[in-house]
Amino acid sequence: AVANGLLQVSGGPATDLSAYYQIASDGYFSTLGIGVIRGRTFDERDRAGSTPVVVVSRSFADQAWPGMDPIGHQVSSGGMEDSVRWATVIGVVEDVRQPT
């Protein structure tokens, strides 16, 4: 399921960006033919209990971290102050048009 919401970002000029996002697993990007621009996509290292990670689109990376390497920066979908869970960017992929 695709969701839309306000995401917090760290390390760039913007602190919040609105974006569509969805949960995906290893094989998602290759199955859909979505090209990797930088870094990596999900693999066996990214399981329940491991450090939360995220793959972002080229457009999101350009907005959140213009002219910067997004790998290692963090994104959060927010939550209560004491329960904010940050995910580290591990990869950047080509933009994908989400069905509406």
Side-chain angles (χ1 to χ4, degrees), residues 9-89:
V9 296
S10 70
T15 57
D16 299 302
L17 291 173
S18 181
Y20 286 96
Y21 57 91
Q22 91 178 50
I23 299 194
S25 60
D26 56 342
Y28 175 83
F29 299 100
S30 61
T31 299
L32 294 179
I34 302 168
V36 178
I37 298 169
R38 184 170 193 76
R40 67 175 181 89
T41 59
F42 306 115
D43 62 25
E44 67 280 347
R45 295 171 278 187
D46 309 314
R47 299 288 180 236
S50 63
T51 301
V53 294
V54 64
V55 175
V56 298
S57 70
R58 176 196 305 259
S59 291
F60 185 88
D62 288 346
Q63 289 177 45
W65 307 284
M68 303 166 75
D69 182 358
I71 305 299
H73 287 288
Q74 295 186 310
V75 175
S76 174
S77 61
M80 303 281 271
E81 181 118 359
D82 59 346
S83 65
V84 172
R85 191 163 175 202
W86 291 92
T88 301
V89 177

